[in-house]
Amino acid sequence: MTKLTRPPGELERDAKNTNVSQNAQRKSTTSRTLRFFATIASLILLFVFTGSAQDDFKAYNQSVSGTTVNFKMMPIPEGKFKMGSADNQKGHRPDESPQKEVTISAFWMAALETTHDEFGAFWTDQSVTINSSVDAVTRPTSQYIDLSWGMGKEGGFPVNSMSQTAALMYCHWLYKKTGIFYRLPTEAEWEYACRAGSEATFPWGDDANEMSKYAWFKGNSKSKYQKTGTLLPNTWGLYDMLGNVAEWTLDQYDSAYFSKLADPVRDPLASPQSRYPKTVRGGSYVDGPENLRPASRQYSEPAWNKRDPQFPKSRWWLTDAAFVGFRVVRPVKQPTAEEAEQFFKAYIGQ
Amino acid sequence: MSADKTTRRDFVKGGTLLAGGLIAAPLLSRANYFSGAADTIKIALVGCGGRGTGACLQALLTKQNVKLVAMADAFRDRLDSCYKQINADDLTEWSGNKGNVKNKIDVPEERKFVGFDGYQKAIALADVVILDTPPGFRPIHFEDAVKQGKHIFMEKPVATDPAGIQRVLAAAAIAKQKKLNVVVGLQRHYQNSYRELIKRKDQIGEITSAQAWWNNDGVWVRPRQPNQTEMEYQMRNWYYFVWLCGDHITEQHIHNLDVINWFKGSYPVKAQGMGGREVRKGKDFGEIFDHHYVEFHYADGSILNSQCRHIPHTMSKVDEMFTGTKGKIFCGEGKITDLKGNVIYQFDMKTENDPYQTEHDELFAAIAKGDYKFADAENGAKSTMTSILGRLATYSGQVVEWDKAINSGLDLHPKVYDWAAAPPVLPNADGLYPVATPGITKYA
């Protein structure tokens, strides 16, 4: 594989630049209002709005000093696409329409789903507290049982069974470590990247029989997730967008979301309102082809953690959602330190 | 006491005609449930930690007419935090349904009991008690709940030493005589996949060996705080003290050992094994081991290989597996295969239930109907004893026989429960606790 250069001067920047004072973070948890979420939503749009024509908008590898984390980020160019599916497309469901013309600003997206190895570097980072209710970056608790369910942990298997909070906390940790703002994709960004220009039922066309070449799903997974990046990527170099583990997005799930969007619309996001339901995309190793369409939408629900016997239930782990994972994106226009902390506070709550 | 059954049914019929309060009074004197107004089932929670709070909510979310009337915990802050959480305005994240259970909670200040002896008063006020303290206290609490004639939900394990096991077994026999429903939180017995697998266990012929795993990173630690007495410190950081917890082979691995006993239909006759602490050392970790590997022998010659480990970054697995003369059962996957690996049964994981809710649903449904259906205490005690047998084997390095161990009289508990009293194990000048040494430590 070609060695890809990283954008100069961006990586391994001193994390100090991005720290805001602990006191400021501790001050208040009272600001979680709708008004605040609206601000955050517009901030996200702002981050991705500007700038994509830089010369350094290329694939690069992100490492994290002091760890073995090293993952590849692919450039996703600005563009327009039809989000959702036509009413007459095979497998169409009502929450995938009406289709809207969506413009997506440029961003980078991880070529692979985040792995246990990568997430483990965060989870075992001794410099970070565990399950603190005040520290902005804090580590997940131990799992009471093994939530990889024996499917594999080392050597490139996707990390799974985490809440959206845990996935975003990993992003916050990455930000603290690298100075680069990573987050989960919006639902729109995810679908745009998955389609990579295709309007067909699947990124490769309409033939479900092709699926085994690109995706781990019910038909070939033997009920287990598989190592990331072992099948074919889409035309933008993204592996396992469909299948393997379903992927968290930022969006609150709303079955009527598309009908509420303007047409055309740019960089839409359904702001966070409540813990459930949040949108996940891509389907997983337990799903049939009908859930592995770029347009297919799934969502989290309390049943995903039904076997957590404690109250309050874990904010980190899900006992009954072995099929959920995530991948990170990096908006081209990076937020200021203050904006970034506001973002994480809005989603994580501290 | 089948008379109770009749009374209850008649009562329900009558209740549809009359205001419940009018006929409640005669019931007070005889029924060991429904001592309250109308047909409300009164609940007392003893042990208000994270699991106790969860169990309490599960009880309050059953379809029956229930009311929490009393709470007890050794610590005021734990009780308060539990009370606040169960009174949440919205329990969607817990139950999946909007709404709350505030109208099922009636615990004024005078029915909140704090300290070592609060349990007795709380139990007295209820029809059903939920026993969820650290396991070391279970024999005392269970005994008292049976004595007071209450139905019981109690968490596993049910004791931490053979003396405690004997107390639970004796009380279990009385509970049977009194027809008190007792459910033990070995929730795999209430889980759809396990219930389907055990129905089909004959498909693998005779079970010749079994394996059980609880390998993961370990649990929480509560570091010592200034001004704590030694007793308070141990009560807070209870997981790391054998008299309170039983070691992780008892506190967690019991789930897997119990499944093996359940499918075998018997309990081991002896055990030998090895264990120690390799990684989890130091002042914060009391006296328990971080790994145990035990070979349990059953009377028919079959062997259970059991491993449990609390060491981060090692292979994690929580599961059970059986090998029989005709096939294998893989519990975690809900799968039965023949000896060549061909799948002969696969449980549909989409039909898995929340067994923690089911155990309460079934218990409270039985109580509401006046049925006597559940007598889990004896198995709970014997599966707990299985885990203790394993611990005695790893601590001593000897072959430990069931009959000898269970009758050993080994009692790890303090004479006095008081914040100022000395717990049964104490740290040395460096703050470290004595840890079992195989070959030197005697098991009984």
Side-chain angles (χ1 to χ4, degrees):
Chain A
M1 203 172 279
T2 333
K3 195 144 191 206
L4 295 148
T5 45
R6 302 182 306 193
E10 298 246 10
L11 302 186
E12 292 164 28
R13 194 197 297 161
D14 191 336
K16 264 186 279 181
N17 296 338
T18 63
N19 280 349
V20 297
S21 88
Q22 293 275 321
N23 286 340
Q25 289 164 45
R26 279 172 193 172
K27 253 178 197 162
S28 155
T29 50
T30 57
S31 55
R32 273 186 280 160
T33 61
L34 287 177
R35 181 174 52 76
F36 185 67
F37 287 131
T39 313
I40 293 303
S42 58
L43 281 174
I44 291 166
L45 300 189
L46 187 69
F47 304 158
V48 292
F49 245 132
T50 48
S52 60
Q54 308 155 281
D55 294 339
D56 55 4
F57 188 50
K58 294 174 184 163
Y60 67 95
N61 273 42
Q62 177 69 64
S63 58
V64 176
S65 61
T67 76
T68 57
V69 173
N70 190 304
F71 56 88
K72 188 173 171 185
M73 296 295 292
M74 304 302 293
I76 308 299
E78 172 164 325
K80 276 181 201 166
F81 80 114
K82 260 196 226 169
M83 182 155 81
S85 64
D87 293 357
N88 60 359
Q89 192 170 66
K90 198 178 172 201
H92 166 83
R93 292 199 191 96
D95 69 350
E96 299 165 11
S97 61
Q99 284 184 287
K100 292 287 166 74
E101 186 184 287
V102 178
T103 301
I104 297 290
S105 303
F107 62 98
W108 281 273
M109 186 174 229
L112 303 175
E113 291 164 341
T114 303
T115 62
H116 278 285
D117 314 78
E118 290 157 359
F119 195 87
F122 156 54
W123 200 6
T124 58
D125 182 347
Q126 302 291 322
S127 70
V128 179
T129 58
I130 297 175
N131 197 31
S132 161
S133 57
V134 289
D135 295 336
V137 175
T138 191
R139 287 185 279 157
T141 51
S142 298
Q143 295 176 345
Y144 188 66
I145 54 173
D146 166 34
L147 295 173
S148 72
W149 300 101
M151 291 187 281
K153 275 191 165 176
E154 272 151 35
F157 290 102
V159 64
N160 70 323
S161 298
M162 85 297 291
S163 64
Q164 192 204 43
T165 298
L168 281 163
M169 193 62 93
Y170 173 76
C171 297
H172 201 174
W173 175 78
L174 277 180
Y175 177 48
K176 190 178 163 189
K177 288 282 178 184
T178 65
I180 296 173
F181 177 73
Y182 287 96
R183 58 166 168 78
L184 297 173
T186 67
E187 209 183 328
E189 287 167 342
W190 188 94
E191 183 174 335
Y192 174 65
C194 179
R195 290 186 174 280
S198 166
E199 291 192 5
T201 311
F202 305 107
W204 57 83
D206 292 318
D207 186 0
N209 293 323
E210 295 280 292
M211 187 163 283
S212 282
K213 292 185 195 167
Y214 297 92
W216 295 109
F217 69 115
K218 197 176 182 178
N220 63 358
S221 70
K222 296 190 174 146
S223 301
K224 288 180 166 72
Y225 59 57
Q226 307 288 327
K227 284 190 181 180
T228 56
T230 51
L231 299 176
L232 294 176
N234 72 5
T235 55
W236 286 348
L238 304 172
Y239 294 81
D240 305 306
M241 287 294 282
L242 298 172
N244 216 20
V245 286
E247 300 179 10
W248 282 113
T249 71
L250 280 181
D251 299 57
Q252 192 78 41
Y253 175 80
D254 177 355
S255 61
Y257 178 39
F258 291 14
S259 60
K260 291 173 186 170
L261 290 176
D263 194 10
V265 62
R266 189 170 182 122
D267 296 320
L269 167 74
S271 301
Q273 310 285 338
S274 58
R275 186 166 178 182
Y276 298 104
K278 296 276 168 56
T279 308
V280 297
R281 290 295 207 116
S284 76
Y285 64 89
V286 300
D287 288 308
E290 68 281 4
N291 289 334
L292 271 74
R293 295 172 298 111
S296 171
R297 306 172 69 206
Q298 293 173 304
Y299 53 87
S300 62
E301 52 189 339
W304 286 18
N305 207 9
K306 68 183 173 189
R307 278 185 286 168
D308 183 342
Q310 303 248 343
F311 190 79
K313 295 200 181 224
S314 172
R315 59 192 291 236
W316 305 106
W317 303 113
L318 301 169
T319 54
D320 293 81
F323 48 80
V324 76
F326 70 100
R327 79 176 69 212
V328 298
V329 298
R330 168 188 173 180
V332 167
K333 174 77 166 76
Q334 290 278 292
T336 65
E338 199 184 339
E339 289 165 340
E341 294 302 339
Q342 265 191 313
F343 168 86
F344 287 117
K345 195 162 185 174
Y347 279 89
I348 298 172
Q350 63 198 53
Chain B
M1 305 257 284
S2 57
D4 284 347
K5 233 176 183 174
T6 318
T7 307
R8 167 66 193 145
R9 290 204 178 115
D10 292 345
F11 173 63
V12 171
K13 272 186 211 157
T16 60
L17 300 171
L18 298 167
L22 293 175
I23 56 164
L27 238 85
L28 277 170
S29 54
R30 55 184 139 146
N32 50 23
Y33 33 81
F34 307 125
S35 54
D39 55 355
T40 303
I41 304 173
K42 291 180 172 184
I43 300 170
L45 173 63
V46 178
C48 300
R51 178 61 199 127
T53 307
C56 180
L57 278 178
Q58 277 141 357
L60 296 180
L61 283 164
T62 62
K63 293 197 180 82
Q64 315 310 324
N65 185 7
V66 294
K67 188 153 267 182
L68 181 70
V69 298
M71 298 166 73
D73 197 281
F75 295 108
R76 179 78 212 196
D77 59 305
R78 299 298 301 209
L79 191 151
D80 287 344
S81 145
C82 173
Y83 183 76
K84 190 177 160 201
Q85 282 161 356
I86 59 180
N87 276 291
D89 289 330
D90 182 26
L91 293 168
T92 307
E93 285 173 22
W94 170 258
S95 65
N97 298 311
K98 279 218 181 301
N100 58 59
V101 291
K102 285 178 173 183
N103 65 343
K104 295 182 174 184
I105 299 167
D106 179 21
V107 190
E109 195 59 26
E110 64 269 22
R111 294 206 292 268
K112 293 174 179 168
F113 302 101
V114 175
F116 285 104
D117 56 359
Y119 69 94
Q120 282 178 318
K121 295 166 198 154
I123 289 170
L125 296 167
D127 307 304
V128 185
V129 298
I130 298 173
L131 305 179
D132 257 305
T133 63
F137 294 102
R138 201 87 69 248
I140 303 169
H141 294 172
F142 178 62
E143 214 169 52
D144 190 62
V146 171
K147 190 174 156 197
Q148 298 198 47
K150 311 301 183 180
H151 299 287
I152 294 156
F153 171 84
M154 63 172 162
E155 263 304 341
K156 41 49 64 176
V158 303
T160 57
D161 54 30
I165 296 290
Q166 295 288 12
R167 291 176 75 164
V168 173
L169 285 171
I174 298 168
K176 272 188 188 174
Q177 288 165 15
K178 290 188 173 181
K179 291 192 160 46
L180 304 173
N181 284 292
V182 180
V183 165
V184 172
L186 290 162
Q187 80 284 348
R188 284 164 176 76
H189 290 262
Y190 297 83
Q191 187 168 343
N192 292 346
S193 53
Y194 285 87
R195 286 175 162 183
E196 293 304 314
L197 287 172
I198 196 162
K199 275 187 216 164
R200 295 169 174 83
K201 75 182 177 80
D202 292 344
Q203 292 181 9
I204 69 162
E206 292 292 311
I207 294 170
T208 53
S209 71
Q211 284 171 271
W213 301 263
W214 194 301
N215 295 344
N216 72 347
D217 290 356
V219 302
W220 46 261
V221 180
R222 299 193 185 119
R224 193 185 293 273
Q225 302 298 320
N227 305 320
Q228 278 178 327
T229 64
E230 181 63 24
M231 182 64 91
E232 180 175 359
Y233 167 66
Q234 293 195 15
M235 288 284 286
R236 293 277 187 189
N237 201 28
W238 63 266
Y239 208 93
Y240 300 94
F241 296 94
V242 180
W243 67 280
L244 286 164
C245 161
D247 205 323
H248 66 109
I249 188 174
T250 293
E251 209 282 329
Q252 285 185 323
H253 195 37
I254 180 178
H255 282 296
N256 318 107
L257 301 175
D258 169 64
V259 167
I260 310 297
N261 291 340
W262 182 24
F263 279 56
K264 285 289 297 175
S266 62
Y267 303 91
V269 293
K270 62 180 178 178
Q272 75 87 21
M274 55 188 77
R277 37 200 263 164
E278 278 298 319
V279 172
R280 193 169 56 190
K281 304 173 182 180
K283 295 178 192 175
D284 285 341
F285 306 112
E287 54 177 339
I288 70 171
F289 280 7
D290 61 17
H291 64 284
H292 306 255
Y293 198 117
V294 184
E295 181 183 281
F296 290 96
H297 294 248
Y298 288 78
D300 64 3
S302 60
I303 288 183
L304 156 61
N305 283 299
S306 126
Q307 48 184 299
C308 58
R309 177 170 61 193
H310 275 185
I311 300 182
H313 323 310
T314 58
M315 186 206 78
S316 56
K317 181 166 186 164
V318 179
D319 205 350
E320 309 87 25
M321 196 269 264
F322 296 91
T323 302
T325 50
K326 293 183 195 163
K328 295 182 178 187
I329 302 174
F330 299 85
C331 293
E333 293 178 68
K335 185 171 83 176
I336 302 177
T337 69
D338 64 19
L339 289 172
K340 287 178 183 161
N342 301 308
V343 177
I344 50 182
Y345 171 73
Q346 175 65 60
F347 173 76
D348 177 2
M349 287 297 177
K350 288 197 174 116
T351 63
E352 191 66 287
N353 62 325
D354 169 4
Y356 299 99
Q357 186 60 51
T358 303
E359 59 194 6
H360 285 271
D361 288 346
E362 294 188 5
L363 172 63
F364 281 89
I367 293 168
K369 277 187 205 157
D371 288 349
Y372 173 56
K373 269 181 82 175
F374 298 103
D376 290 356
E378 183 182 340
N379 175 66
K382 288 181 176 174
S383 279
T384 302
M385 186 61 215
T386 306
S387 70
I388 293 171
L389 191 70
R391 185 187 78 217
L392 297 175
T394 60
Y395 280 12
S396 68
Q398 309 301 322
V399 176
V400 182
E401 289 169 6
W402 176 284
D403 287 343
K404 197 173 164 195
I406 198 171
N407 295 311
S408 64
L410 178 63
D411 183 348
L412 303 176
H413 278 255
K415 298 270 180 294
V416 183
Y417 295 99
D418 185 275
W419 297 121
V425 285
L426 295 170
N428 67 16
D430 299 325
L432 296 165
Y433 293 85
V435 174
T437 308
I440 295 170
T441 299
K442 301 290 178 222
Y443 79 82

